[in-house]
Amino acid sequence: MSNNHSDASIVVFWDIVDCKIPDGLNVNDVSNNIEKALKDCGYNGSVSIKAYGETDDFKDQFINAGINPMHVAGDTNHRVRSITIDMYAWVINHPDSVVMFVFGDISRDVGFIKELAELGLRNFRILLCQPPSATGLLFIPTTKVWRWDSLALGVPSISETERIKLVDVNNPRSYYVNQPESWKYGLDSDDEKGQEEALEPEEANLEFEYMSEIQRLKNVVQERDAKMVAMEKKKQEELESAYKSIREEFFFLSLSLVKATIQSLLFKGLSIPLFPIAFTVMELERFKVGLTPTVFYIPGFITDEEQTQLLNHIYGASGSKWKTLKNRRLQNWGGMVHEKGLVPQELPSWLTKITAKIHESSGLFSSTINHVLINEYHPDQGIMPHQDGPAYFPVVAILSLGAPVVMDFSPHLRFRSGDDEISRDQSPGAENCVPERDNQHSFSVLMMPRSLLIFKDDAYSDYLHGISDSPTQCYNKVVNEAEALALSATNSENSNEDSRKDGDKILHRDKTRVSLTCRLVPKVHKNLFRF
Ligand SMILES: O=C(O)CCC(=O)C(=O)O
Ligand SMILES: [Fe+2]
């Protein structure tokens, strides 16, 4: 609610009997003077004047002056009651407005004075104009007071000092001058009853009707106020819940947008640095593939640029770094792995950059990755099904570069009697072929360039993994089908790597693949000479 009433609507309730039109003036003059006096006090809102009394005689004059004539027969009380009822009808529809009373002496009407006081407390601005004979009401909580003889002539309102001077403390009708402040402001007081005088039966009837009407109107006002408060509360709640759902929708929308964007980029084989999103936001769990719970495939783990840089470093290494095996070439970085552990050699920074990224983002390695095996496969080369040795247990991460390839996983026979007989890949480059235990549980993973495959625990110890040396590989059984489909989509545009034969999905390997097998050998020999 605003306290500034300068532009608020104004209503003037004018008792034309007790505040007669001065001789020599007409209705129009008086109404102009009232409006002028209001303007002089800074009230510029639209003015609506209602006149009460024997208005029939001047009906046309009032109408011409834009004044609403309210014909009321009877005495001051009748007019005041009509005014009170209209006042309530007005305040119901005009909250925070300016209410001006131009009427006679109503100092006996304690109830009415209290109504005015209440209005003042409810952010209505109460203005009062009385004939010089009425002194009592000068002390009710009004904002401005005029004397009728001056207001009718357009003279300014009286000053506070003048108002006090005008109060005749000896006038019995001014009794409330000496009442406590709380009484003056319409608050409860036991004195009120004592001040009332006995009424004639007819008057008492009238009083009863009047009071019931006032009560009815007050109830309307209260109901309206309660409705407004409830509406305001409801509006606030609706706004709050709208904001809440917008915030939630926005949150989920942004999450799904991020997800959708990443997926669509991945499917298109585009280069995006996924690792911070892959692990910190989406968590490793989201990259689980297949039924074995410990196999993770993260497509696009590195960017095209990072892939190129890695390949440059790998092919930039001295020729002696390569060890040629029967069906592939390899580089060993990080030291030699022996039965008693790793005889370490510092990894070059171009490798620690990537191993640190794998270590930090996966959170699966108990300390820094200290060993990297780089394998190079031509299209007709592969690696026999094998199990990585216990030296690296329980986790391995393989980063793929260059061409795609299919890695097959098959359960091995470690559960048969004489488990010890199963040989393991204890040294770089050595792989061991072990017969499958159960073909039904075999699965394959399509390893796209720039992807990272991690397998650990059961997948590490209970399965053999290998790459066939065939230049064509079937990828029907791949568990990372989404990437396989993405591959088909990409290949159909620019290469003949993918084709279908008798319903089988065939990958044609026509380029070299390079992989980085990143592992941690926890057992490290610190002192080389003691070994
Ligand atoms: O090149 C690959 O993806 C697999 C390499 C591997 O299994 C190994 O080095 O033990
Ligand atoms: Fe391996």
Side-chain angles (χ1 to χ4, degrees), residues 131-155:
S133 55
T135 53
L137 281 183
L138 296 176
F139 270 84
I140 70 156
T142 53
T143 336
K144 285 272 174 235
V145 176
W146 284 264
R147 281 171 51 143
W148 175 242
D149 50 351
S150 17
L151 180 78
L153 301 168
V155 172

Side-chain angles (χ1 to χ4, degrees), residues 406 408 444 468 472-478 504-507:
V406 173
D408 302 309
S444 304
S468 80
T472 55
Q473 291 179 327
C474 169
Y475 63 94
N476 278 349
K477 279 205 264 176
V478 294
D504 281 342
K505 297 169 189 167
I506 305 293
L507 172 76

Side-chain angles (χ1 to χ4, degrees), residues 314 317-324 330-335 345:
I314 292 165
S318 87
S320 61
K321 194 71 193 163
W322 286 107
K323 185 177 173 186
T324 307
L330 61 87
Q331 287 181 10
N332 181 74
W333 294 93
Q345 236 174 23

Side-chain angles (χ1 to χ4, degrees), residues 328 375-379 381-383 467 509 512-513 515:
R328 67 185 195 280
N375 286 297
E376 183 202 56
Y377 308 85
H378 292 302
Q381 293 185 321
I383 185 166
I467 297 166
R509 299 167 64 195
T512 302
R513 171 177 181 264
S515 70

Side-chain angles (χ1 to χ4, degrees), residues 19 70 108 200 219 308 382 397 428 510 527:
C19 294
M70 317 296 273
R108 273 181 58 205
E200 294 297 318
N219 291 345
T308 310
D510 58 4
N527 188 340

